[in-house]
Amino acid sequence: MSDYVERVYEQVVEKNQAQPEFHQAVKEVLDSIKPVFEKEPKFERHKILERITEPERVIIFRVPWVSDNGEIQVNRGIRVQFNSAIGAYKGGLRFHPSVNLGIIKFLGFEQTFKNSLTGLSMGGAKGGSDFDPKGKSDNEVMRFCQSFMTELYRYIGGRMDVPAGDIGVGAREIGYLFGQWKKITQRFEPVLTGKSLEYGGSLVRPEATGYGSVYFAKEMLKTKNDDLKGKTCLVSGSGNVAQYTTEKVVDLGGKVVTLSDSNGYIHDPDGITREKLAYVLELKNVRRGRIKEYAEEFGVEYHPGGQPWEIPAEVAFPSATQNEIDGDEAKLLVDNGCFVVSEGANMPSTIEAIDVFLENKVLFGPSKAANAGGVATSGLEMAQNFSFDSWNREKVDQRLHRIMISIHKMAYEASKEYGEPGNYVLGANIAGFKKVANAMIFQGHW
Ligand code: NDP
Ligand code: 2IT
């Protein structure tokens, strides 16, 4: 039966050439769910794998805009509506020069299973552009967002497809995108999440991915009667996810000693305090500066070009981007005593790195489980919007916390049922997959 899985994987590679990240994401899921096909032949009969690896729809469009110096610029916009079996399409937008179809497809594919794990009714999607917001003026970002939405608006809606933020897309970009959508459609509905509070955003949405990733780490540690108190933690990135991961670790008594950006990392052996974190938020979100400035401000080491994984620590929270930990870096982490990894970023560990973590019995929280708090809270934002309500911080945070506990439980129980208790890669993939696959079967062949 696992021949079926191998065959479909080969077809995916053949049909989607030059999309290595998409192949990687598919391989990780397919390898995990092999035992499901042995137990339940109906999935093969219904050609679930052929269908689930093919996006329902891919939209690619031109995004022309004019820079401040009067020059015409052209970027590419993409929206991949991957799977709507369990809800309207839902997933973020990424603005980064590296964005291409393969990357957006890997993210949309992952999103399908992640959203399933949240227990909320949300299908999988992802979008973005090769636009680089770095160094652009607010007006340039606004004109770009307006042009992007002038095409995208045709394909989205509060009950159709609801984008949100990701790398390079935060509250500023969501605001410009929403303003343009509203101007074109003359409607006010939850067509985007990650909105500012003033016009329908949810408390705790900015914090949710980072908090959720730490809640997931806490649940994994609990299975060993352990917690984060006094543990040295590595965080990579210094954007949205990294910032609130750091905040929650500090709250729970852990010590975060690194942050990074694409130029290098800082090492603060005394730990990043709330005061220092406030500096990071201002540096990154307001001044849009580089993490190097932290080292200058607080007199700590800056490692240009490097990544935090060479620093000894017990816990790692990769929170920057895909494939930021390879097999050798995973070995280094393990050799230095790291025994908990919670993936805030999407697919930050290569397949080789995951193998190293699993072989060494690291408590490894794969991204589709560990970082699902962000999209889950987007779902809570929509629930508030559709009911014309807004909940207080405690209520949203409690719901988020409960969802992360439930995702951990589902992944753990599936890992146990399939004979590898504590293998959260297996557990999350199986639990996320089954719900979507069954929903597809119930709805007939489409
Ligand atoms: P931000 O844009 O806020 O921050 C991204 C951070 O990662 C920056 O520090 C950035 O550095 C660094 N980074 C980005 N690309 C690279 C790269 N190619 N190499 C090295 N460093 C890089 O994004 P988020 O914090 O929102 O996203 C971080 C990760 O978390 C992504 O993988 C995203 O998909 C994932 N995620 C985000 C969610 C959300 O709600 N925002 C939800 C779930 C997952 P620099 O400034 O130099 O580019
Ligand atoms: O990868 C992700 O889950 C996100 N970027 C958040 C998606 C969302 O719709 O909130």
Side-chain angles (χ1 to χ4, degrees), residues 144-158:
F144 172 80
C145 288
Q146 290 174 340
S147 178
F148 185 87
M149 186 54 86
T150 299
E151 185 60 31
L152 185 68
Y153 88 94
R154 300 167 206 285
Y155 309 104
I156 63 175

Side-chain angles (χ1 to χ4, degrees), residues 22-83:
F22 180 53
H23 305 167
Q24 182 183 337
V26 170
K27 186 169 174 34
E28 191 218 278
V29 172
L30 265 50
D31 277 348
S32 295
I33 60 182
K34 274 182 193 162
V36 177
F37 287 83
E38 275 147 29
K39 265 195 179 171
E40 300 187 59
K42 67 174 178 188
F43 292 125
E44 180 173 357
R45 222 170 39 244
H46 286 279
K47 294 227 157 79
I48 288 295
L49 285 186
E50 289 87 335
R51 290 155 65 196
I52 217 166
T53 53
E54 187 70 21
E56 287 176 23
R57 193 171 297 105
V58 172
I59 301 143
I60 299 184
F61 49 99
R62 178 168 71 205
V63 188
W65 57 282
V66 179
S67 51
D68 287 345
N69 64 7
E71 216 181 288
I72 298 167
Q73 310 287 329
V74 181
N75 286 101
R76 176 172 294 173
I78 305 175
R79 185 71 178 167
V80 175
Q81 297 178 332
F82 222 108
N83 195 300

Side-chain angles (χ1 to χ4, degrees), residues 124-170:
K126 200 79 184 193
S129 174
D130 58 359
F131 173 74
D132 186 359
K134 261 193 218 111
K136 303 289 191 300
S137 69
D138 282 353
N139 276 325
E140 288 178 319
V141 170
M142 180 173 73
R143 287 195 295 275
F144 172 80
C145 288
Q146 290 174 340
S147 178
F148 185 87
M149 186 54 86
T150 299
E151 185 60 31
L152 185 68
Y153 88 94
R154 300 167 206 285
Y155 309 104
I156 63 175
R159 295 191 186 275
M160 192 193 303
D161 182 358
V162 182
D166 193 79
I167 292 176
V169 177

